[in-house]
Amino acid sequence: GLPTLPRLSLNSPLALTGPVLVALPCLLAALLGLNTYAPYGADAAFGIAVGAAAVVAMAQTLILAARPPLVEPLFGGLDRMYRVHKWLGISAMVLMILHQQIEPDFERLVRETSLGELGEEAGELAFNALLALVAVSWFRRLPFTPLEIPYQIWRFSHRFMGALFAIVVFHQFFVDMPAGVDPTFMLVLNAFGIAGVVAWIFTELLAPHLRRRDFTVTEISQTKDTTTLTLRPEGRAMRWRPGQFAFFRAPEAGLSEPHPFTIASAPRPDGTLTFCIRGLGGWTRSLPAILRTGTRVQVEGPYGRFNFRKGGARQIWLAGGIGITPFLAWAESLSEADSRDIHLIHCVRTQEEAIGVETLRAAAARNPRFSFEVVVTTRDGRLTAERLIGAVPFAIRQADLWFCGPTGLKDGILKGLKAQGQTPRRVRFEQFEFT
């Protein structure tokens, strides 16, 4: 299953900390720019302010793209962190356009140098190129059409962001500016510029060697359009919590682009892990034909903070299609001593699409407080709020609802529960779009 960018939900008290922390430096840079260049006129001060905020926003997109593990909890998970990363990039694009339209004119106030002219030309070049790349990222799916930029092209173009940002940093270092202004503003701006470039270099050159672990495919099975892979670690095993996801790539088989998938198994003594990958595109559909037992692959992770053990004593697990994967890991991790009352409902279109039923049966046999059912929509009809209320063996208003699946299923169920006066105590979820 593809873990995705959820809407902002307060899964932890830290959920808003990350967004606030990235917004404050942008605001600080803008205020410093306004204050520093106010003597040169309102237009000049505003143009500098929005340009400074754009630089800081772009630097932070590159810092977040490096996936710093200590920062992830401040956003409530990597998925939410990437959502902030996306909107930082869009904000930087808007601010760059404003800076371009209100470009400060200091020609009569500075002594022009050849290096300064080069910096100005470099800034113009980087502005146009960054504008194009951010637009590609923003409109990966073309509005009102089924057309979509292939993931490989999208990711390849995305990797140039850092190089273009380095040109922007060159621009801010060397463009000719009036002498005698307070240096604090440029110190802040240069610090963020250097940090962004360093983060990009780390992401492109160092992280692939430091973070990826080698695994070997030991088992491959196919259930309708879902491929299940069992991987054995080569060397030090990876530690993860049930519900987390990791980035998977198989360069030996020609699949060098990393894709994120939920780990569909709980941690095991031998370090093996399982991915259940539904064929949703060319890359994922090619897996069963390309991968073989013995193929060496690479896994980077784990990421995510989707953890039912932070929930209450009564829980509803609702899965739509391949959204069952985190719940399979959770079910496998249940022991006889777990005291939570849990009912899982797995919605699939056909019986053949139901995966991991054996894992769920074993969990139910091991722990009498865990129960589950599979709703086959072609046979049973669509799941409704009324049916959910009747199926759950405890009061929904006193329970947490954990969801992973299509947004339409979640929204329909929650709307129906609200109409019935049965809104869950808390709702926690993942979606299906990562980029």
Side-chain angles (χ1 to χ4, degrees), residues 86-422:
K86 171 186 174 182
W87 285 105
L88 269 175
I90 293 171
S91 300
M93 180 181 71
V94 173
L95 291 168
M96 282 189 291
I97 292 173
L98 287 173
H99 176 70
Q100 184 74 1
Q101 296 301 313
I102 317 173
E103 186 175 358
D105 183 8
F106 297 124
E107 288 186 5
R108 290 176 292 181
L109 302 173
V110 301
R111 180 181 177 182
E112 294 188 0
T113 64
S114 57
L115 194 58
E117 291 180 3
L118 180 60
E120 188 172 348
E121 293 174 1
E124 189 78 21
L125 169 68
F127 165 76
N128 292 317
L130 274 172
L131 204 60
L133 289 186
V134 173
V136 167
S137 298
W138 195 359
F139 294 110
R140 186 187 167 203
R141 284 182 177 79
L142 299 182
F144 311 112
T145 74
L147 300 178
E148 179 178 330
I149 298 172
Y151 177 79
Q152 291 82 354
I153 295 176
W154 173 87
R155 189 173 184 277
F156 182 75
S157 67
H158 216 61
R159 297 177 69 177
F160 285 101
M161 291 279 193
L164 293 173
F165 180 72
I167 298 176
V168 170
V169 174
F170 175 85
H171 164 79
Q172 80 182 36
F173 262 85
F174 297 108
V175 68
D176 294 317
M177 301 295 282
V181 296
D182 185 350
T184 304
F185 170 63
M186 289 309 298
L187 286 174
V188 171
L189 211 56
N190 291 340
F192 273 96
I194 292 171
V197 173
V198 169
W200 173 67
I201 292 173
F202 173 81
T203 301
E204 294 298 323
L205 301 181
L206 298 178
H209 303 287
L210 297 176
R211 291 178 172 174
R212 290 172 182 165
R213 300 174 188 269
D214 293 326
F215 283 76
T216 298
V217 178
T218 59
E219 187 177 341
I220 304 175
S221 62
Q222 187 76 11
T223 303
K224 203 171 173 56
D225 58 354
T226 300
T227 303
T228 300
L229 304 175
T230 300
L231 311 180
R232 183 190 67 235
E234 299 295 331
R236 188 164 57 96
M238 186 177 75
R239 289 184 171 184
W240 74 93
R241 295 187 304 273
Q244 290 190 293
F245 64 90
F247 290 84
F248 170 86
R249 67 194 293 264
E252 193 176 276
L255 303 172
S256 58
E257 296 294 336
H259 284 60
F261 301 103
T262 300
I263 302 171
S265 57
R268 299 163 180 167
D270 61 359
T272 60
L273 59 83
T274 299
F275 286 124
C276 297
I277 303 171
R278 186 179 179 186
L280 297 172
W283 196 96
T284 50
R285 291 192 187 102
S286 67
L287 290 179
I290 295 178
L291 290 183
R292 296 286 183 272
T293 300
T295 301
R296 290 176 67 88
V297 299
Q298 293 179 331
V299 177
E300 177 192 334
Y303 297 104
R305 302 178 68 81
F306 198 54
N307 185 0
F308 81 97
R309 297 193 182 279
K310 294 183 178 181
R314 294 184 177 88
Q315 299 187 14
I316 305 162
W317 299 353
L318 178 57
I322 197 61
I324 189 64
T325 48
F327 301 121
L328 293 179
W330 289 359
E332 186 179 327
S333 72
L334 287 175
S335 67
E336 296 178 8
D338 279 303
S339 59
R340 293 176 178 83
D341 293 316
I342 300 169
H343 186 73
L344 181 148
I345 298 179
H346 184 197
C347 298
V348 292
R349 196 174 63 85
T350 65
Q351 185 65 49
E352 292 75 21
E353 294 178 0
I355 60 172
V357 176
E358 298 80 8
T359 298
L360 301 179
R361 286 175 180 159
R366 191 167 58 247
N367 188 320
R369 290 178 175 270
F370 173 77
S371 58
F372 77 96
E373 62 180 295
V374 178
V375 176
V376 181
T377 56
T378 55
R379 180 193 66 201
D380 308 321
R382 297 185 64 181
L383 179 69
T384 62
E386 291 80 4
R387 179 170 178 177
L388 180 66
I389 293 169
V392 175
F394 43 79
I396 291 180
R397 284 178 295 184
Q398 301 172 3
D400 295 344
L401 174 63
W402 297 81
F403 175 83
C404 188
T407 303
L409 174 61
K410 172 180 65 69
D411 293 345
I413 291 296
L414 290 179
K415 183 178 179 181
L417 290 176
K418 183 178 181 180
Q420 296 285 328
Q422 294 289 329

